[in-house]
């Protein structure tokens, strides 16, 4: 694909939305009232609105490699605070996925100077998997990572301060089947 594909695709998108609802973009321009704050991976196959079929205006989204909650991450802190305190979202969703390159890299010890700090966060998360009874598959680690990030999100100072105890829900998107597996933190 090249850049011209975006132009053509965007024209189709505008036409479709206007056909479905002539006032769609006017309403979009008037403001947002999303019910969900979403933390998901950067992976190009896992766009949260697309995989859930949710319309624009419903998901306030922060993305990073392997959907990590990192307390020192200013970007996450600001977007989480804005979502909780200003937009008053009702739910937090943490969406991981199968065949996650970030989890694979951290679990196989990939090192790269530009990524080491981030991969260390991912490694810390997957290292908390209990390996006493079995050696985990990549999918076990991806599922565990979502569980760990639910815990970390609930312990994030912003959630503790302005989170109102709203639900933090985990999900694992199965690329190979399209299924969305719901995950809780226990
Ligand atoms: Zn990923």
């Amino acid at each position: 694909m090249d850049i011209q594909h975006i132009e053509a695709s965007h024209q189709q998108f505008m036409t479709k939305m206007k056909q479905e609802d002539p006032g769609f973009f006017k309403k979009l321009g008037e403001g947002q009232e999303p019910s969900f704050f979403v933390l998901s991976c950067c992976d190009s196959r896992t766009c949260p609105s697309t995989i859930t079929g949710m319309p624009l205006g419903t998901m306030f989204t922060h993305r990073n490699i392997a959907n990590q909650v990192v307390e020192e991450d200013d970007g996450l802190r600001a977007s989480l605070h804005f979502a909780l305190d200003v937009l008053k979202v009702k739910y937090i969703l943490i969406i991981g996925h199968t065949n996650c390159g970030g989890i694979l890299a951290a679990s196989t010890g990939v090192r790269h100077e530009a990524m080491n700090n981030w991969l260390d966060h991912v490694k810390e998360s997957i290292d908390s998997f209990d390996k006493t009874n079995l050696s985990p598959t990549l999918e076990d680690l991806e599922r565990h990572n979502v569980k760990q990030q639910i815990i970390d999100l609930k312990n994030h100072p912003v959630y503790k301060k302005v989170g109102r105890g709203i639900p933090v829900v985990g999900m694992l998107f199965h690329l190979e089947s399209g299924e969305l597996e719901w995950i809780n933190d226990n």
Side-chain angles (χ1 to χ4, degrees):
M1 280 204 189
D2 55 40
I3 194 82
Q4 284 84 355
H5 283 99
I6 292 184
E7 205 180 337
S9 173
H10 173 252
Q11 284 302 332
Q12 285 174 7
F13 163 72
M14 272 211 309
T15 305
K16 178 170 165 279
M17 299 318 282
K18 286 177 184 174
Q19 273 170 357
E20 284 173 10
D21 176 4
F24 179 79
F25 289 109
K26 186 171 182 296
K27 276 183 259 170
L28 211 55
E30 283 165 1
Q32 62 172 334
E33 209 176 325
S35 297
F36 307 98
F37 174 78
V38 181
L39 171 63
S40 75
C41 184
C42 293
D43 192 299
S44 62
R45 301 164 292 181
T46 65
C47 174
S49 309
T50 307
I51 65 174
T52 56
M54 293 296 286
L56 296 179
T58 57
M59 293 181 149
F60 192 79
T61 304
H62 183 89
R63 301 180 72 169
N64 61 43
I65 291 174
N67 39 279
Q68 296 296 293
V69 176
V70 174
E71 217 175 290
E72 307 78 53
D73 180 346
D74 287 337
L76 173 65
R77 186 183 305 121
S79 53
L80 182 61
H81 187 275
F82 189 72
L84 290 171
D85 202 41
V86 180
L87 298 173
K88 308 284 187 198
V89 296
K90 297 182 195 140
Y91 300 88
I92 296 173
L93 311 182
I94 299 180
I95 307 180
H97 67 100
T98 56
N99 291 318
C100 180
I103 303 287
L104 180 65
S107 66
T108 53
V110 169
R111 303 306 286 166
H112 184 283
E113 131 186 67
M115 298 180 69
N116 285 348
N117 285 352
W118 197 257
L119 289 174
D120 285 346
H121 294 305
V122 183
K123 192 166 183 325
E124 191 180 332
S125 170
I126 59 179
D127 278 353
S128 61
F129 185 91
D130 182 2
K131 302 183 187 73
T132 28
N133 295 319
L134 71 170
S135 59
T137 63
L138 185 60
E139 189 176 310
D140 291 332
L141 295 177
E142 287 154 349
R143 190 175 290 107
H144 174 78
N145 177 57
V146 172
K147 290 184 184 185
Q148 185 60 48
Q149 299 317 307
I150 296 173
I151 294 166
D152 292 350
L153 195 295
K154 286 180 175 170
N155 285 324
H156 194 288
V158 169
Y159 180 80
K160 283 185 162 173
K161 194 171 173 201
V162 292
R164 295 164 276 122
I166 64 166
V168 182
V169 179
M171 295 173 176
L172 188 69
F173 178 56
H174 289 255
L175 292 175
E176 62 291 342
S177 67
E179 302 284 329
L180 196 58
E181 175 188 347
W182 292 54
I183 290 172
N184 56 36
D185 58 344
N186 50 42

